[in-house]
Amino acid sequence: MASENPQHQDGSTQGATTGVVQGITANLLQVRVDKPVAQNEIGYVQVEDREQGHIELMGEVIKYGDGLASVQVFDSTRGIEVGTTVRFSTSLLEVTLGPGMLSKEYDGLQNDLRAIDGVFLKRGSRSRALDPDAEWAVKPLVANGDAVYAGDWLAESEENQLPHRVLAPLDLEGQWTVRSIIGEGRIKASEELAVLENGEGQTRSVSMIQRWPVKIPVRAHVDKPRPHRLLETGVRTMDTLHPMLEGGTGFIPGPFGSGKTVLQHAISKQADADIVIVAACGERANEVVEIFNEFPELDDPRTGRKLMERTIIIANTSNMPVAAREASVYTAMTIGEFYRQMGLRVLLLADSTSRWAQALREMSNRLEDLPGPDAFPMDLSATIANFYARAGTVVLRNGKKGAITFIGTVSPAGGNLKEPVTEATKKATRCFYALSQGRADSKRYPAVDPIQSYSKYLEYPEFLAYAEANLSDRYAEQAAEMKNVLLRGSEARDQINILGDDGVPLDYHVRFWRDELLDFAILQQDAFDDVDQMTPMQRQLDMAATVLDICREDFDFAGFEAVSAFYKDLINAFRQWNYAPLDSEEFARQRERIAKLVREQREGQTSDNTAPSTAADQPTASAS
Amino acid sequence: MHLRKTYTSIRQLTKATCTVQAEGVGNEELALVGGKLAQVVKLNGDRVTLQVFGGTEGLFTDTPVQFLGAAPSLHVGPDLIGRFFNAYGQPIDGGPAPEGEEREIGGPTVNPVRREQPHQLIATGIAGIDLNNTLVAGQKIPFFADADQPYNEVMATVALRAKADKIVLGGMGLTNDDYRYFRQRFESAGVLDRIVGFINTTEDPPVERLLVPDMALTAAEHFAVDHGEQVLVLLTDMTLYADALSIVANRMDQIPSKDSMPGSLYSDLARLYEKAAQFPDGGSITIIAVTTLSEGDITHAIPDNTGYITEGQLFLRQDSEVGKVIVDPFRSLSRLKQLVIGRQTREDHPQVMNAAVRLYADASNARTKRENGFDLTDYDERTLAFARGYARDILAVDVNLDTNSMLDKAWELFAQHFRPQELGIKENLIETYLPKVPAG
Ligand SMILES: Nc1ncnc2c1ncn2[C@@H]1O[C@H](COP(=O)(O)OP(=O)(O)OP(=O)(O)O)[C@@H](O)[C@H]1O
Ligand SMILES: [Mg+2]
């Protein structure tokens, strides 16, 4: 219904339904209404604030029964009294879509945080999502008399050197005809750019700005094929072992402190995408500040432009209102759909989707809905599945493609993956990057558990064909081989732990150390080292081949200590190699050092592993 | 405060709440119920439910309820300095009531774009913190500790060494002995002119505790925002705070989630901890809290939610090999350390820190091996020897060193026990810092 009436004026609409507050529990109001309201309709609570005087607090209808609307308020309800007026807007919760959104920092309701004055966010503060008066250079893409449908490209502009297409209103039904279209030139975002007419003679004026209700998916494409292209992230454990694809879905569950946010930030900085939308959903403000600070300084590794120019941040930090937290992920997704419809490749990251689920839980508990497992709402699983389903690659009517890749984090209670949010998300996604407490504790970052984690895309023939043509003809084989090295290594480790170093055949030590080599050389990656943090695909393929060659070779060892000495030296050399910038002198030197270590071991020479002279207070060292 | 109408028709009484018939009442407004302070937690038509902080013992159905027209507040200003107050902000040290501007507690949140990235290192002299888990002004971090561990002592040490302009102590369910300990320690250190305390002891009603963190943080915001000061807020014990939340939630018939905690526990705690901030004009609020554990269980909802909110956590542990309390290098974490280490500290700091922790982990594997009756390799023995030196001379909380000395000591231990290749440290650092002759 919102789409019928997109022009609501900041809540102060007249003629719409008004209601009167009957009850308040935390941020949930019971509002008596005598005229119609809609599910998810937005209302504005008319509050007399002690400091600010008259303010309006935004809220959303989430339930209705017997003349009482349950309204969740996106703000503190302090001081609201029974009898307070609520004005309904006839709109659903909507975002404003148009040019000027890139590099903005929004709250969960798309208020531009920079445009709000003061250090503190006063209740009821609102600001415009984009500047309607900003001028943009546009070029028409259609002519008078052309037939257009919802989401078709009417004109083209440019924002931060990215193409920005002006879309026919996303809520158009059926075929419309272009009655007028602007010539090439400059135009204000809110000015009339085209007029459309449908078969019944209705006309529609179109500008660069439109609105869309966040909870309704944009469906203006003709096809949604399976993803097939690698989304290069520079994170080795992903690109080499558990690939994420453009238009794919994945999630990162892990206990607190295991590295979800660090991993997501790495992806957001390095991934090969046109637009990156980061939804900080109920997490720490300082983490968002880190993005605010870093992204304007950092270069996009592929285009050389500043990262911030391709980024939009939706910050609903953990201390911001819970209801707005629920909205924030939808706001982010809808903005993503808008850019996808322009034929761009969008990467959407949400940290953490568990906080969103908790917001749903808080509301459903207040509504006294029948609780499901762990007191989450019964339909949690469906809600999560529907949300992830909005991601994907689409084919537009003009044959062009756009994509939304979506990766969410999950914060399982107690770090236990058998909990409703993790389980529901597992069903809704194709990639699973499980962070392990053990790996994080031993600082093996990123703590992605290589055995538990998976990418179902490794089974997609369309991806395998792509990988063969564009990455390496042995890509999938290598990934499988590595997983095998890791599996055999962890079995060997278990046996060594049970039976002792001497109690197992030498081969077990070799297997264990091959696993360690792969772990240290490829899986572990220092997110804070300028070089190591991002490995280009070509270098990854090179590394994988080098490590696997060594893993395939059977060397002669005198005993298990010789095994560990050799692989430890190798690991050390690989680490130095990883820190060396690609194609630097150091890079060549370390590569040669690795080759030399291997050669020497093969030819039975011992390298210089002399132990340091034994210190005085260390009587046991010489015993073994 | 403007006193408003008095009502005498209490419709319902529970252990922590009462429901009265009244009109024109605002959500979260304060009231006096027979002289006891209470706060509106629910409105339903003319039924107003109040959470009575002192408990409802002795209230009658016709006890007068007087609404105060405002949410809880604190008078902020210089009068707070050197003083101790109860959960309502009333003096408990015999001094006069403070004067100053009245501020509602639990005020609005900082606009994230107006925050500054934390950047100022806080040195404590404790290596488990400065070396491995460096603190930064504007951070929020709890000690996760079992009840028998000396967390309050360590926290007081940290506070005294941290060079803060103001230290605000929020005590929740503090034993009288611990309250006296803090006062005495601050007094004998001669820093009372930098202290403000809000104290709820075990002798006070538990629900009163719910006001303590907001009182402490309102005072802290005054000093940090109005005066640009570095403020350190100590909150002990947040587990008892969360327990009080669950008492109220249960009385209000909310559906409990994990460990009978309210489903909103995450948001409730985050609202407080997120008050930690580095403000644009120099002031900062740093929160160091205590979350007591039950037998080390961090999967319980209280430490679990806390860990998801705070910027790391510090575990105390008795190192059995050297018999000293250390800050556990494995499970402790400061998430903001990378903002300062190797930048405000020496360049070798990050790599030395990681190498030492990795070798200490190898030692703990060796210990497990030994306990299982297996032979130890030469490497195992060397890691064990390293671990003893590391725990005794660097990590123990009673050692007080500056960061460079910690790093130098670590390099000495490296040289004593390991080959350079075993350290996994960048070669240029090894060349610069590793002592050439093993120290003897
Ligand atoms: N790849 C990495 N390289 C180096 N350090 C890392 C890496 N990943 C994580 N860390 C370390 O782990 C800490 C915690 O990581 P992070 O903040 O991402 O955890 P998280 O899983 O998001 O936790 P929470 O659920 O509490 O938000 C970081 O501050 C950093 O010190
Ligand atoms: Mg995180």
Side-chain angles (χ1 to χ4, degrees), chain B residues 123-314:
Chain B
T124 69
I126 297 174
I129 297 176
D130 297 3
L131 180 65
N132 291 340
N133 299 292
T134 323
L135 299 185
V136 187
Q139 185 167 10
K140 46 196 176 287
I141 193 165
F143 280 99
F144 279 177
D146 275 344
D148 58 348
Q149 289 178 317
Y151 49 84
N152 281 336
E153 287 78 358
V154 177
M155 190 160 84
T157 306
V158 169
L160 289 174
R161 290 196 195 150
K163 300 204 180 81
D165 296 322
K166 292 284 177 309
I167 300 170
V168 184
L169 172 66
M172 290 151 281
L174 216 53
T175 61
N176 187 55
D177 294 3
D178 282 343
Y179 163 48
R180 293 301 162 133
Y181 166 80
F182 274 112
R183 270 188 79 162
Q184 186 269 326
R185 240 193 106 191
F186 292 148
E187 243 168 71
S188 60
V191 297
L192 270 187
D193 59 337
R194 297 198 270 133
I195 305 285
V196 187
F198 296 90
I199 309 293
N200 157 276
T201 68
T202 43
E203 291 163 24
D204 303 321
V207 179
E208 283 182 11
R209 277 173 215 159
L210 293 178
L211 293 168
V212 168
D214 277 317
M215 284 286 171
L217 290 162
T218 303
E221 269 178 358
H222 162 67
F223 294 113
V225 178
D226 303 346
H227 297 287
E229 295 189 328
Q230 312 288 319
V231 184
L232 183 61
V233 178
L234 310 178
L235 299 175
T236 174
D237 167 359
M238 288 300 282
T239 298
L240 297 177
Y241 172 82
D243 285 342
L245 280 178
S246 77
I247 293 174
V248 175
N250 291 350
R251 298 279 177 265
M252 299 205 31
D253 298 325
Q254 286 178 19
I255 307 160
S257 61
K258 200 168 168 274
D259 299 317
S260 28
M261 283 291 141
S264 59
L265 181 63
Y266 177 84
S267 306
D268 295 337
L269 293 176
R271 191 179 61 75
L272 301 172
Y273 281 117
E274 280 292 329
K275 291 268 178 193
Q278 173 68 53
F279 294 99
D281 47 10
S284 69
I285 296 178
T286 308
I287 301 179
I288 299 184
V290 167
T291 301
T292 47
L293 308 177
S294 143
E295 291 171 26
D297 179 13
I298 60 157
T299 63
H300 184 281
I302 299 171
D304 187 47
N305 279 284
T306 305
Y308 276 119
I309 293 163
T310 53
E311 285 149 346
Q313 62 280 333
L314 299 167

Side-chain angles (χ1 to χ4, degrees), chain A residues 403-441:
Chain A
I404 295 176
T405 313
F406 178 47
I407 305 176
T409 65
V410 168
S411 316
N416 176 4
L417 297 188
K418 291 212 171 351
E419 57 90 44
V421 184
T422 313
E423 287 182 336
T425 312
K426 209 166 177 180
K427 284 181 216 145
T429 55
R430 308 259 95 188
C431 293
F432 176 59
Y433 301 105
L435 301 190
S436 106
Q437 183 76 63
R439 284 185 69 87
D441 284 348

Side-chain angles (χ1 to χ4, degrees), chain A residues 261 283-284 287 351:
Chain A
T261 307
E283 291 289 307
R284 303 169 186 85
E287 292 172 347
D351 184 15

Side-chain angles (χ1 to χ4, degrees), chain A residues 188-504:
Chain A
K188 276 190 191 166
S190 54
E191 261 176 80
E192 183 172 277
L193 177 136
V195 176
L196 309 179
E197 187 184 330
N198 70 0
E200 283 136 43
Q202 291 173 313
T203 59
R204 182 98 179 247
S205 165
V206 179
S207 76
M208 294 181 87
I209 301 176
Q210 57 178 307
R211 297 174 64 86
W212 184 261
V214 296
K215 293 203 177 149
I216 298 174
V218 173
R219 285 211 184 92
H221 48 264
V222 293
D223 195 12
K224 200 168 179 188
R226 304 213 306 178
H228 73 281
R229 259 180 72 130
L230 179 76
L231 178 86
E232 205 183 314
T233 64
V235 177
R236 296 189 290 262
T237 189
M238 294 177 73
D239 297 358
T240 296
L241 251 94
H242 306 111
M244 170 54 71
L245 303 194
E246 224 170 75
T249 51
F251 78 117
I252 309 171
F256 63 79
S258 55
K260 298 180 290 295
T261 307
V262 171
L263 181 56
Q264 265 206 346
H265 281 194
I267 298 169
S268 69
K269 286 179 201 166
Q270 302 165 8
D272 183 14
D274 298 320
I275 306 272
V276 177
I277 303 173
V278 181
C281 170
E283 291 289 307
R284 303 169 186 85
N286 278 339
E287 292 172 347
V288 194
V289 175
E290 199 174 311
I291 304 183
F292 295 161
N293 269 322
E294 281 188 1
F295 279 33
E297 306 295 323
L298 293 176
D299 294 330
D300 177 340
R302 287 178 189 82
T303 62
R305 288 179 293 127
K306 293 291 174 234
L307 276 182
M308 201 60 201
E309 293 177 28
R310 67 167 197 185
T311 308
I312 298 172
I313 297 166
I314 315 288
N316 185 271
T317 57
S318 57
N319 52 347
M320 288 160 107
V322 173
R325 186 195 299 167
E326 195 246 338
S328 68
V329 293
Y330 290 101
T331 298
M333 182 60 87
T334 309
I335 294 175
E337 287 171 335
F338 177 60
Y339 286 106
R340 173 173 67 183
Q341 190 67 29
M342 295 183 198
L344 298 177
R345 301 166 308 143
V346 179
L347 172 64
L348 179 62
L349 300 164
D351 184 15
S352 150
T353 60
S354 291
R355 306 299 162 222
W356 163 52
Q358 283 180 339
L360 295 172
R361 172 168 76 185
E362 282 186 37
M363 286 330 295
S364 94
N365 290 0
R366 271 181 208 127
L367 288 173
E368 293 170 11
D369 287 346
L370 197 63
D374 289 1
F376 281 107
M378 284 294 219
D379 58 356
L380 179 74
S381 202
T383 309
I384 290 178
N386 287 340
F387 188 74
Y388 274 89
R390 289 174 73 168
T393 301
V394 297
V395 179
L396 308 175
R397 268 185 13 96
N398 60 9
K400 299 281 192 315
K401 281 185 180 175
I404 295 176
T405 313
F406 178 47
I407 305 176
T409 65
V410 168
S411 316
N416 176 4
L417 297 188
K418 291 212 171 351
E419 57 90 44
V421 184
T422 313
E423 287 182 336
T425 312
K426 209 166 177 180
K427 284 181 216 145
T429 55
R430 308 259 95 188
C431 293
F432 176 59
Y433 301 105
L435 301 190
S436 106
Q437 183 76 63
R439 284 185 69 87
D441 284 348
S442 53
K443 318 276 179 218
R444 292 179 181 228
Y445 295 121
V448 176
D449 181 320
I451 292 175
Q452 231 191 325
S453 304
Y454 58 77
S455 162
K456 293 223 174 110
Y457 296 124
L458 278 170
E459 295 155 19
Y460 279 32
E462 42 287 64
F463 169 61
L464 296 180
Y466 170 87
E468 201 168 340
N470 297 282
L471 304 174
S472 142
D473 49 2
R474 305 201 46 246
Y475 177 87
E477 231 173 284
Q478 276 189 353
E481 194 178 340
M482 283 189 210
K483 211 142 184 178
N484 196 35
V485 170
L486 295 166
L487 263 176
R488 286 166 59 96
S490 85
E491 285 161 13
R493 184 198 332 258
D494 292 345
Q495 290 301 311
I496 296 172
N497 284 343
I498 297 168
L499 301 169
D501 287 332
D502 292 320
V504 296

